[in-house]
Amino acid sequence: MADMTLTVGFDLDMTLIDSRPGIHACYVALAERTGTFIDADLAVTRLGPPLLDELAHWFPKERLPAMVELYREMYPSIAIAASPAMAGAREAVAAVAAAGGRTMVVTAKYEPSAKLHLSHVGIEPDVVVGDLWAEQKAEALREYRAGVYVGDHVGDVRGARTAGALSVAVATGPCPADELRAAGADVVLDDLSAFPEWLTGYRAAARA
């Protein structure tokens, strides 16, 4: 019998995909196009927050709307093909589907770009919601009644907790395991390769 009470949300960048190569290339291209210095090596060490937050380090406030638009215009041709799936990502999403559950991706990334990334790596969640960061993610998690949210950043932990969902964190992004635990993650995994086994145990405990 399908377990449609099980809805699991996933973050995108550094949870399901390694977006560092693509984002790095896009920042380099943006710097060349605008003649503005951007430390792309530094930028990709702090992925998670919205694009606007990062661009604010490099451009004055009055230029930010135009720079967001330009970056998003350049992004598909530069960043999508360069960004592979994280280890265990496809299997983690498939494990939820195999359990009869629903999968969703909730990300701060621009939603059209998020969908391009997922299509490129062959991951097909039931729902994709973009442009939500940290506590804002709770809006979508509540709407779809997600019981679990999986992410790599303390912002993802805060989003899960705000939504009343179980926070499962993976130490594959900018936040180490101890920082994720300190932020209130209920479960911390090394990476998504461990997720299917964890999910099996979680469902067994829920049934018991």
Side-chain angles (χ1 to χ4, degrees):
M1 187 172 74
D3 183 8
M4 289 312 295
T5 60
L6 173 67
T7 297
V8 178
F10 293 88
D11 175 50
L12 182 63
D13 288 7
M14 304 312 300
T15 299
L16 292 177
I17 63 166
D18 184 352
S19 53
R20 289 172 298 187
I23 290 175
H24 187 284
C26 205
Y27 279 132
V28 169
L30 183 65
E32 292 173 352
R33 179 90 169 258
T34 61
T36 300
F37 174 73
I38 299 173
D39 188 339
D41 291 339
L42 174 60
V44 297
T45 66
R46 50 192 184 197
L47 299 182
L51 170 65
L52 189 66
D53 290 18
E54 183 60 43
L55 292 178
H57 292 292
W58 314 109
F59 295 95
K61 186 176 181 179
E62 64 272 12
R63 294 188 69 192
L64 287 175
M67 291 304 99
V68 168
E69 186 175 340
L70 178 58
Y71 179 95
R72 287 175 172 173
E73 177 186 307
M74 299 167 68
Y75 193 91
S77 63
I78 295 172
I80 302 300
S83 302
M86 296 293 283
R90 296 183 187 89
E91 294 82 359
V93 175
V96 178
R102 177 169 58 178
T103 56
M104 62 185 303
V105 170
V106 186
T107 174
K109 190 178 290 297
Y110 183 51
E111 191 172 304
S113 296
K115 290 177 177 177
L116 289 174
H117 273 298
L118 291 163
S119 177
H120 176 71
V121 298
I123 294 175
E124 298 182 3
D126 298 299
V127 178
V128 180
V129 182
D131 304 292
L132 296 177
W133 162 241
E135 288 84 355
Q136 296 171 344
K137 294 187 175 190
E139 299 169 18
L141 296 173
R142 285 197 194 106
E143 180 181 353
Y144 291 95
R145 299 181 181 178
V148 177
Y149 185 59
V150 185
D152 66 281
H153 198 284
V154 293
D156 299 322
V157 177
R158 298 202 307 270
R161 293 182 68 84
T162 301
L166 190 80
S167 172
V168 177
V170 284
T172 50
C175 303
D178 287 349
E179 186 177 353
L180 294 165
R181 289 190 189 94
D186 298 294
V187 178
V188 179
L189 306 174
D190 289 339
D191 60 35
L192 283 178
S193 300
F195 181 82
E197 183 178 353
W198 173 84
L199 182 65
T200 297
Y202 170 74
R203 293 180 65 233
R207 286 193 299 269

